Amino acid sequence: MRRRLPLFLLVLAALGLLGTKRPAGLGDVVEVRHWSYRDYTRVVVEFTRPVTVEGPVQHLRADGRARRPERLYLDLNGLWVGRRYLEAITVRDGLLRGIRLGQYTLKTTRLVLDLERYDRYRLIELTHPHRVVVDVYGERGRGETLRWSERRENGRPGYGRLPMPIRPLRTVVIDPGHGGRDPGAIGVGGLREKDVTLRLAKALAPRLVARGFEVVSTRDGDRTISLEERTAIAESVRGDLLLSLHANAARRRSVRGIETYYLDENHERHTLTVAARENGITRSQVNELQETVAKLRVSEASDHSERVATMVQDRLVRGLPRRYRPVPDLGVKKGPFYVLFLSNMPAILVEAGFLTNREEARRLRDREYIEALAEQIAEGVARYRDATDLESPRQVRGSGERADRTAAPRPLSSDRSGLAARSRR
């Protein structure tokens, strides 16, 4: 009876709290989303206003007596859920059992992740919209239902991921920046970034396919798509490279040129304005974002991202037809971009020209110029693949993925993905 008394009092306190009038000035939960990948599960909780994450994520071991599973939890100050999430959100993907949200104090909501397997986690706080992202890593249990990308295809089982240095580049995910309610930068004559990036993506896909790549695009129409959804598509098809397409803008209309970015722990001062615009945040918030990036383990992907960025940038400034040259080379740069660090693969972001420059805006409206850009981007990616294939050790055969080009094909569609094209072997 003595053991049960504290629990009984806690239940009474919780019941009293739920009947209490809501304090003023608190935010609400907009939505809870989750995606299951092979190596980790991503949980996103979106809010109507900024909240404060109180302290680090806490890890609790399983409690057999209380019948509580192993779990992670964190407290979100300034958030109200009341009785909205009395039932847990079921996941059961072999890594997470479920997600729970509850009113912990009058001004604090507790987020609890009930675990089935666990190795480590990472926490990212994002704005515009305000949300927290928790990635939980671990080896999934054998009893879970395999996702479509892991099932047998043509009688052959799915295969594990090779380490990045010896992983063949097969699948390229093209991400046309912005879309739908988010037009991106607006240039000369009302030219919209979201339209330019979509046209470039549609020109790029068949050129990559012709070079032997499997290609997936995050959107093939004018629709709003979140950063988490973009990377969810990339991860669900087990992409080997994320290629994010954008167009630039500047206050001085004389500024022009092409530049390519990759993710790194450090940034360069002149990238802050670009990063703020593409991330949809203020310039002052980029410094907070950079602190987040610096805490992430991005060094392995960063080396490969820098190499592919260098080859793509080289082709864009040197490979375009003579009538378009010379092209101002703004270089390969490091920058903190959400879409890059939310993916777990090499990723680059191409700024294909300035919409605010009259000459470049005219070119970016022109179909032939868009096709010329697409040709050079495809050639740069192909050169990177060919160079890394030559460097990869041949003894990787039989280690889970095959080093030759006859490996089992993978499905390329996803629930929300747009254009999908499969190369013919």
Side-chain angles (χ1 to χ4, degrees):
M1 184 65 185
R2 284 180 183 174
R3 287 200 209 111
R4 294 179 180 177
L5 183 59
L7 178 60
F8 177 70
L9 293 176
L10 182 62
V11 170
L12 285 179
L15 290 173
L17 176 64
L18 292 175
T20 302
K21 184 178 179 181
R22 169 181 174 154
L26 301 184
D28 293 294
V29 173
V30 175
E31 189 179 14
V32 180
R33 304 183 291 271
H34 61 88
W35 291 274
S36 301
Y37 309 133
R38 181 177 181 88
D39 303 315
Y40 70 102
T41 295
R42 171 166 292 167
V43 176
V44 177
V45 184
E46 183 180 331
F47 323 114
T48 57
R49 57 181 299 169
V51 302
T52 302
V53 178
E54 295 190 348
V57 176
Q58 301 294 321
H59 174 241
L60 297 176
R61 296 184 180 277
D63 185 342
R65 285 188 174 182
R67 296 183 180 180
R68 293 176 182 171
E70 187 178 13
R71 57 205 180 277
L72 299 172
Y73 75 86
L74 70 155
D75 292 331
L76 305 169
N77 190 33
L79 187 67
W80 177 267
V81 294
R83 300 176 59 84
R84 181 176 171 188
Y85 290 95
L86 293 179
E87 297 292 330
I89 299 170
T90 301
V91 179
R92 291 200 176 276
D93 61 357
L95 200 56
L96 254 63
R97 177 177 297 184
I99 305 165
R100 292 184 285 129
L101 282 167
Q103 200 66 44
Y104 183 59
T105 70
L106 281 176
K107 295 186 177 181
T108 302
T109 290
R110 175 162 290 182
L111 169 65
V112 181
L113 306 181
D114 293 325
L115 306 171
E116 295 183 349
R117 298 286 193 282
Y118 174 69
D119 177 37
R120 60 188 175 88
Y121 77 90
R122 71 171 179 175
L123 171 68
I124 305 171
E125 298 177 57
L126 304 177
T127 60
H128 296 73
H130 302 288
R131 59 212 188 276
V132 294
V133 179
V134 185
D135 291 335
V136 179
Y137 296 83
E139 183 178 352
R140 297 191 185 280
R142 295 181 179 180
E144 81 275 10
T145 302
L146 293 176
R147 292 167 48 250
W148 60 264
S149 58
E150 312 299 336
R151 294 176 187 149
R152 290 178 175 266
E153 185 180 29
N154 297 331
R156 287 173 284 198
Y159 44 84
R161 298 288 269 174
L162 285 172
M164 211 169 287
I166 59 174
R167 185 188 305 167
L169 200 172
R170 294 192 182 98
T171 301
V172 178
V173 180
I174 304 174
D175 177 42
H178 309 282
R181 295 187 301 273
D182 176 15
I186 306 294
V188 176
L191 184 60
R192 301 180 300 185
E193 183 178 5
K194 67 175 183 177
D195 299 327
V196 172
T197 59
L198 185 58
R199 288 197 295 268
L200 182 54
K202 289 185 174 182
L204 177 57
R207 286 168 169 82
L208 287 170
V209 170
R211 287 168 168 82
F213 293 102
E214 297 172 345
V215 178
V216 176
S217 184
T218 57
R219 67 180 179 98
D220 64 352
D222 184 19
R223 72 182 185 92
T224 304
I225 178 171
S226 69
L227 294 172
E228 295 87 13
E229 188 178 346
R230 293 174 192 272
T231 50
I233 292 170
E235 296 289 348
S236 68
V237 299
R238 307 186 73 191
D240 301 309
L241 173 67
L242 177 64
L243 187 56
S244 190
L245 304 177
H246 290 262
N248 228 326
R251 291 187 177 182
R252 287 192 296 124
R253 293 182 178 270
S254 60
V255 177
R256 55 181 300 207
I258 294 174
E259 56 192 1
T260 305
Y261 290 87
Y262 68 98
L263 183 67
D264 194 81
E265 288 93 340
N266 302 305
H267 65 46
E268 298 162 10
R269 186 178 300 276
H270 55 272
T271 70
L272 294 178
T273 300
V274 178
R277 186 182 67 251
E278 302 299 4
N279 290 327
I281 59 180
T282 65
R283 180 164 172 154
S284 63
Q285 290 172 314
V286 176
N287 290 325
E288 300 174 11
L289 169 61
Q290 188 58 39
E291 293 178 5
T292 300
V293 173
K295 298 174 185 177
L296 303 179
R297 299 195 289 181
V298 301
S299 57
E300 183 183 21
S302 178
D303 292 341
H304 294 273
S305 300
E306 181 183 13
R307 291 182 64 188
V308 67
T310 299
M311 292 187 180
V312 167
Q313 178 73 10
D314 179 74
R315 295 311 306 162
L316 283 170
V317 299
R318 291 178 175 79
L320 287 173
R322 188 174 300 275
R323 65 182 180 276
Y324 298 126
R325 288 184 281 165
V327 177
D329 183 2
L330 301 184
V332 173
K333 301 172 182 177
K334 300 175 286 188
F337 295 90
Y338 283 154
V339 74
L340 299 185
F341 78 75
L342 282 175
S343 63
N344 276 350
M345 65 190 71
I348 66 172
L349 185 147
V350 176
E351 294 281 359
F354 282 78
L355 301 172
T356 46
N357 178 274
R358 189 167 299 279
E359 173 61 21
E360 290 199 343
R362 182 186 65 79
R363 289 183 176 185
L364 291 170
R365 290 181 187 274
D366 182 65
R367 178 180 58 82
E368 290 187 3
Y369 184 69
I370 290 291
E371 291 178 351
L373 288 175
E375 181 71 19
Q376 297 311 313
I377 294 173
E379 182 62 20
V381 174
R383 291 190 179 195
Y384 168 77
R385 176 202 52 199
D386 296 343
T388 53
D389 279 358
L390 289 174
E391 296 169 3
S392 298
R394 304 308 296 174
Q395 61 266 28
V396 298
R397 293 175 183 270
S399 61
E401 266 189 34
R402 299 171 64 177
D404 61 287
R405 297 291 175 198
T406 61
R410 285 173 286 174
L412 294 181
S413 62
S414 68
D415 292 343
R416 300 287 301 278
S417 64
L419 172 68
R422 181 185 298 282
S423 60
R424 295 184 179 180
R425 300 272 195 267

